[in-house]
Amino acid sequence: MTSTYRIPMSEPDLTDAERSAVAAVLQTSSLSMGIEISRFEETFTRLTRLKHAIGVNSGTAGLHLCIRAAGINPGDLVITTPFSFVASTNVLLYEKAIPVFVDIDPLTGNMDVKRMRQVIIDLLKVGKSAMNWLPRSGVKNPGTLKAILPVDVFGQPADMDPIMDAAKEYGLIVIEDSCEALGAKYKERPAGSLGNYGVFAFYPNKQITSGEGGMIVTDDDQAASFMRALRNQGRAPGDSWLQHSYLGYNYRLDEMSSALGRVQMSRLDDLLAKRERVAEWYNQRLSLVAEVELPKIIATTTQMSWFVYVIRLIPGINRDQIETTLGVLGIPARRYFNPIHLQPYVMEKFGYRQGEFPVTEDVSRRSLSLPFSSVMTESQVETVCEAITEALKRGKQ
Ligand SMILES: *Cc1c(COP(=O)(O)O)cnc(C)c1O
């Protein structure tokens, strides 16, 4: 589909170093569970300074294993955000847990931590009746509040100090979805390293890619050993190939992917610097366009790792029309994100309606994700920005 566009939505940044590392794996007979996954995992214990890194075959798989390791059972409540990629909520639904959505901070798009605290207090004080959607939902027996699952939206870390404070105060586990924030920092600490568990993802549009892949990081020895077993069909240390201590999955990451990811990690600083430069090219040009709101970074606490470049159109501009015109002009642009509580299967399961998370819905309605990657050139950025200006002009006619 991208071939119909003049500029791709995203592109991996690959060199001969990646190509020869993958080719070298194919000179061996060790294609899974070999040395490459360990080497890839080591790059993450080094980056996060945590004890354990566990490679898996997607970010979603990583998040799912964290839900299992956190002991989240059917009916348990988990606080999370409706402004995310669906995977962060889906992993709760896989375990029949119940997402409790908290609306977002309009500046960053991350979970609004003041609202979050109020939601926790309400849940503990008035229990089920704090969930006003409950009577409309198919949920029969809501359980106890167990965890918080914040998302580092677009590469900007969630406001983790208030989240960790609340978690400590109320005895909650924190699973940090850092799938968009590899290399970002929150008060000098690496994104993904602040909660009980952190997860990264390596689909080809992410900051680094392994083709498909994900990585869990944690300091918890027992959970790490459990998650290593679960990714490998539930085989605990000491289990033979056909012995399975737990109900597990095949979430293993193969050696070709691991080799690719390992080389990409060795280039991380360079890849992030290139992405930042592309974001600056966009900022320079689009700051002159009155109808466009630029991404906002809370520079006092966070160091961004640019995953996507998402603009918002000011109220009154028809986003869908701009998106369509950009397409006609050969420029792909995406709505990003579509609110999770308005996805058909989530609405059906929990009875959510339009208007329940107004900040999320407003931001979502006005957002457009623009073509973005580390290999994008300044002239490509220029082409996209000219197309935006043209689309805005046509929208007025
Ligand atoms: C990319 C992403 C994931 C994981 O995606 P996979 O395709 O499973 O690797 C999870 N959460 C968020 C917010 C993401 O952007």
Side-chain angles (χ1 to χ4, degrees), residues 56-63 81 83-89 91 149-154 177-181 199-206 211-215 307 336-337 340:
V56 287
N57 54 20
S58 74
T60 308
L63 289 166
T81 168
F83 192 65
S84 173
F85 181 63
V86 288
S88 58
T89 287
V91 296
L149 197 163
V151 178
D152 301 332
V153 168
F154 304 157
D177 181 344
S178 297
C179 290
E180 306 200 342
V199 180
F200 302 100
F202 317 122
Y203 189 71
N205 67 343
K206 307 272 176 176
E212 297 282 358
M215 190 70 68
F307 166 50
Y336 201 67
F337 302 106
I340 295 177

Side-chain angles (χ1 to χ4, degrees), residues 33 37 41 53-57 65 215-216 226-235 248-253:
M33 312 265 279
I37 188 164
E41 288 171 344
I54 301 145
V56 287
N57 54 20
L65 294 190
M215 190 70 68
I216 305 160
F226 184 53
M227 292 189 285
R228 281 184 189 282
L230 291 191
R231 81 170 165 185
N232 185 24
Q233 301 283 21
R235 294 180 185 100
Y249 315 90
N250 177 0
Y251 284 170
R252 294 183 300 259
L253 184 66

